Amino acid sequence: MRVAIIGYGNVGRAFARLLEQKRSAYPFRIVAVHTARHGSAYDLKGLPAEPAFGPAAPSIDEFLATARAEIAIELTPLNPESGEPAITHIRTALARGMHVITANKGPVAFAYAALHEEARRAGLEFRYEATTMDGTPVYNLVRNNLPGVKIEGFAGVFNSTTKVILAAMSRGLTLDEGIAEARALGIAEADPVFDIDGWDSACKAAALANVIMDARVTPQQVDRRGIGKLTPEKLAEIQATGKTVALVARAKRTAGAVKLRVRAEVLDKDDILASMRGTSNLLVLETDLMGKLGVFTLKPGLEQTAYGLFSDLVDIARSL
């Protein structure tokens, strides 16, 4: 199958390298790449992981028309206020009869129901495994392995930056010093307020709830409080009681609605939600038929996010 990629940062390049490694068993071809910074590149025989870029296509529609791909992968940066322009990119690809995969949580957090319906009407697939927990199977787990199960709620620890900051502050460092540690690891957003105030977790919670609970919410509807008011002194007091703090996203199905919240919660140190460190993430699902079950990923990186894209690509190919 022929693949066109919109946005080509670290995740896109890691994905291209993964396809090269697996080409003998999975003969997918990246035939076009478009970036706002470097321009556009095309080759129907397949592009290398480091393509030679030419002038940028004047629009995404013209890029996709030239690409002649069967699958579009949307990898542009998140816009936490609206999910654009990624939502429009996806709609443009669907209108051209292309299946779509994204690692951008914005479209799933802001417009999942509409995009899902547009894809369904067109007989196309819309996938997003890499949006919430890197490549950890969450959406595919529910879709493929939990038939007949109703998700009643979930609890998750998704944001790596706040985990690093809280660990630093528990050692007596300041909030700013914790941010510096997260930046040194390459995990903090360009504006760390997006992490600290809980917007990243709110976007992920909204995306999850929209897909697995049909919540039809946006991140702005998540009841959100971050870690900004915590101090090293406050954390020391909490630790002295045998407890710890984590930024937790929760969803709960109520009569007629799904309630979502993000909080810096005080947890027992042996609580499973308190067990994640650094970039590791955890999700616990509450179900009607399977009780509580969970998935976690330990210290994921770019390769795991790239694998999330790859798993969606393989799943689409198998479904056709």
Side-chain angles (χ1 to χ4, degrees):
M1 300 186 75
R2 300 182 302 277
V3 176
I5 299 179
I6 304 167
Y8 202 60
N10 292 332
V11 170
R13 286 175 167 82
F15 173 70
R17 293 192 296 269
L18 176 56
L19 286 194
E20 287 184 353
Q21 294 170 18
K22 297 295 183 180
R23 181 156 293 125
S24 61
Y26 300 93
F28 303 110
R29 286 177 289 153
I30 298 173
V31 297
V33 174
H34 173 81
T35 76
R37 178 182 296 181
H38 301 294
S40 302
Y42 309 91
D43 189 338
L44 288 178
K45 296 179 180 179
L47 290 166
E50 295 296 337
F53 290 99
S59 70
I60 293 299
D61 187 57
E62 291 185 52
F63 164 71
L64 294 174
T66 303
R68 294 164 54 190
E70 296 158 288
I71 296 180
I73 299 184
E74 214 292 336
L75 301 179
T76 61
L78 169 69
N79 178 343
E81 296 180 356
S82 67
E84 290 287 7
I87 294 171
T88 297
H89 294 167
I90 290 171
R91 285 196 161 120
T92 302
L94 292 173
R96 285 203 161 271
M98 295 178 181
H99 307 287
V100 177
I101 300 168
T102 187
N104 186 333
K105 51 189 167 283
V108 188
F110 284 92
Y112 170 72
L115 294 174
H116 175 75
E117 179 60 19
E118 287 175 37
R120 187 197 65 78
R121 287 200 308 265
L124 298 167
E125 299 289 343
F126 172 44
R127 300 295 176 86
Y128 29 78
E129 190 63 79
T131 58
T132 304
M133 287 182 66
D134 307 291
T136 308
V138 175
Y139 301 109
N140 288 331
L141 169 71
V142 174
R143 179 188 300 111
N144 298 327
N145 298 301
L146 294 176
V149 165
K150 184 177 183 180
I151 308 298
E152 301 288 0
F154 63 77
V157 180
F158 303 134
N159 185 266
S160 300
T161 297
T162 53
K163 290 196 291 288
V164 170
I165 291 171
L166 289 170
M169 292 173 68
S170 69
R171 304 194 309 269
L173 301 181
T174 65
L175 177 68
D176 287 341
E177 288 170 326
I179 292 170
E181 285 196 4
R183 282 180 169 154
L185 292 171
I187 60 173
E189 295 287 338
D191 183 354
V193 170
F194 183 58
D195 296 305
I196 293 165
D197 284 358
W199 280 113
D200 175 71
S201 293
C203 286
K204 291 176 178 176
L208 261 174
N210 285 341
V211 176
I212 68 175
M213 300 178 73
D214 192 27
R216 299 173 186 259
V217 298
T218 69
Q220 282 79 5
Q221 293 170 274
V222 178
D223 183 6
R224 175 187 51 80
R225 294 181 199 166
I227 66 168
K229 293 184 178 181
L230 290 171
T231 64
E233 293 75 20
K234 181 62 176 177
L235 285 173
E237 290 177 13
I238 292 169
Q239 287 181 312
T241 68
K243 296 182 181 294
T244 189
V245 177
L247 188 67
V248 180
R250 294 187 185 270
K252 191 70 177 177
R253 193 182 298 279
T254 62
V258 175
K259 301 295 185 182
L260 294 164
R261 79 174 202 184
V262 170
R263 287 280 193 284
E265 295 188 11
V266 177
L267 303 169
D268 291 330
K269 288 187 177 180
D270 60 357
D271 190 310
I272 191 171
L273 294 170
S275 64
M276 295 295 101
R277 300 288 183 271
T279 60
S280 301
N281 296 309
L282 171 73
L283 171 67
V284 178
L285 300 175
E286 298 179 21
T287 76
D288 60 343
L289 302 179
M290 275 294 294
K292 292 185 179 182
L293 70 155
V295 292
F296 65 91
T297 180
L298 297 177
K299 299 181 180 179
L302 291 173
E303 292 76 14
Q304 284 68 50
T305 304
Y307 180 77
L309 299 170
F310 178 78
S311 68
D312 280 342
L313 185 57
V314 172
D315 203 36
I316 288 174
R318 287 174 173 171
S319 70
L320 299 180

